[in-house]
Amino acid sequence: MQPLLIHAGVAMAAAMHEVADLLANAKHVVVMTGAGVSAESGIPTFRDALEGLWSTYSPQQLATPEAFARDPELVSRWYDERRMAVLKCKPNPGHYALAKMESSMSAAGREFTLLTQNVDGLHVRAGSERVVELHGSLTTWRCTETGRTYRDLPEPFDEYPPVSEDGGLLRPGVVWFGEALPATAMRAATMALRECDLYVAVGTSGVVYPAAGFVHEAARSGAKTVEVNLEDTPLTQDFGVTLRGKSGDLLPELAQESCGVSL
Ligand code: BJW
């Protein structure tokens, strides 16, 4: 091994111990996840190139109310393909580690809040209980006329755009650019960020607001802050500690060292 690599390995091991120690001693942990946490389940991250038929589009062209108004068939087909794909995927060790940390900390009378930007439902399927879905869900759709939500949906829809029983177009229950996040989710996030003493952002590029600003809100509340990501992000400098690697490797190790739980 080269001396530089040995140095990086030692620094990483020290950072892992530091974060495990923070997790072991915090009274209220807030973890905020992004698409990177589901990458090891086979779900492409938001900024990964789209594949096949969709390769000529960028997600930013499809994830807006304007795109849906312009071409509801195209946008609903894209979301339905993603819904079908997600239903076939399974949670990975990163999801399970977070669920185990939550149950271990709750049993010890400590608080653990999981905020997620992901719309794939994998945290809930892994057993996490206190989950705040900031950007909604791919598996709940709602009528654009009445606002009524639908969960038991055909797999896949038999027409695009799908039409609700109320006669309006059905749209995915996700939050598009320019739309407000669900008020209940924002309230829960704001309260948790005010009360937490440790904030951990995992697998998010830190470019989409308001979630990108949560590290600053947590720091203003006096919380220690940790970033877990494969790469540096525009916010890396704003975190107290950074861990580089796959969440599916790092989170189980942290769960083991901080809470003594193994998967
Ligand atoms: C791994 C890994 C492994 C890979 N292990 N890591 C302030 C400043 C500037 C702009 C704004 C601002 N406030 C609001 C805005 C506008 C806008 C915004 O943020 N724009 C920016 C692009 C500049 N925000 C909004 O419009 C939001 N609404 C809002 O603020 O409303 C205000 C309002 C109030 C009242 C009335 C009306 C309005 C809404 C944002 C909604 C975002 N929606 C999307 C789509 C959801 C549906 C769908 O899935 O199609 O959410 S956009 C997309 O980005 C999706 C994601 O949840 C979100 C974040 O992406 P994420 O999770 O970070 O993924 P990636 O792919 O970007 O990154 C993956 C990361 O993982 C990378 O870093 C990898 O390195 C890493 N990684 N494998 C660990 N194994």
Side-chain angles (χ1 to χ4, degrees):
M1 210 189 275
Q2 300 295 315
L4 214 60
L5 287 180
I6 296 170
H7 185 71
V10 171
M12 179 66 183
M16 283 294 282
H17 292 313
E18 185 180 352
V19 175
D21 203 45
L22 290 171
L23 283 165
N25 292 301
K27 291 192 180 67
H28 186 163
V29 178
V30 171
V31 174
M32 205 273 293
T33 62
V37 169
S38 294
E40 291 157 77
S41 293
I43 300 175
T45 66
F46 208 75
R47 264 141 270 275
D48 277 344
L50 299 183
E51 290 167 4
L53 284 177
W54 302 105
S55 59
T56 54
Y57 299 94
S58 75
Q60 288 80 352
Q61 279 174 292
L62 297 166
T64 67
E66 292 77 18
F68 184 68
R70 198 168 46 240
D71 197 339
E73 180 185 339
L74 176 86
V75 172
S76 58
R77 271 186 197 279
W78 184 55
Y79 277 97
D80 205 30
E81 271 194 21
R82 289 176 56 204
R83 177 173 71 102
M84 292 299 101
V86 153
L87 291 174
K88 287 191 200 116
C89 291
K90 294 194 174 73
N92 67 57
H95 296 107
Y96 288 116
L98 291 172
K100 292 254 181 174
M101 278 193 233
E102 177 183 7
S103 60
S104 161
M105 289 188 197
S106 304
R110 301 193 289 137
E111 301 227 36
F112 185 96
T113 306
L114 182 53
L115 312 177
T116 187
Q117 298 171 86
N118 297 343
V119 295
D120 54 36
L122 290 185
H123 285 304
V124 173
R125 281 169 57 194
S128 285
E129 287 183 5
R130 196 167 172 181
V131 185
V132 179
E133 292 184 320
L134 297 162
H135 293 168
S137 162
L138 267 181
T139 52
T140 302
W141 290 48
R142 72 170 181 272
C143 176
T144 51
E145 294 295 324
T146 62
R148 191 168 142 200
T149 55
Y150 291 82
R151 282 186 185 84
D152 290 325
L153 301 165
E155 296 173 15
F157 287 115
D158 41 26
E159 60 175 339
Y160 298 95
V163 175
S164 85
E165 284 167 12
D166 306 330
L169 294 187
L170 269 179
R171 60 156 285 179
V174 300
V175 182
W176 283 325
F177 284 113
E179 292 185 324
L181 276 64
T184 44
M186 271 311 283
R187 261 198 303 276
T190 305
M191 275 198 18
L193 291 165
R194 261 188 219 141
E195 290 166 4
C196 70
D197 53 355
L198 178 62
Y199 174 79
V200 186
V202 190
T204 175
S205 56
V207 294
V208 176
Y209 287 82
F214 289 175
V215 58
H216 304 126
E217 288 184 49
R220 269 197 297 278
S221 309
K224 303 266 200 253
T225 57
V226 176
E227 180 183 65
V228 179
N229 201 303
L230 270 183
E231 301 170 353
D232 279 2
T233 70
L235 295 177
T236 293
Q237 302 298 328
D238 301 348
F239 285 88
V241 191
T242 57
L243 295 177
R244 288 287 156 267
K246 290 186 177 179
S247 52
D249 296 334
L250 299 181
L251 295 176
E253 218 177 307
L254 289 171
Q256 169 71 53
E257 194 176 333
S258 63
C259 304
V261 291
S262 44
L263 302 188

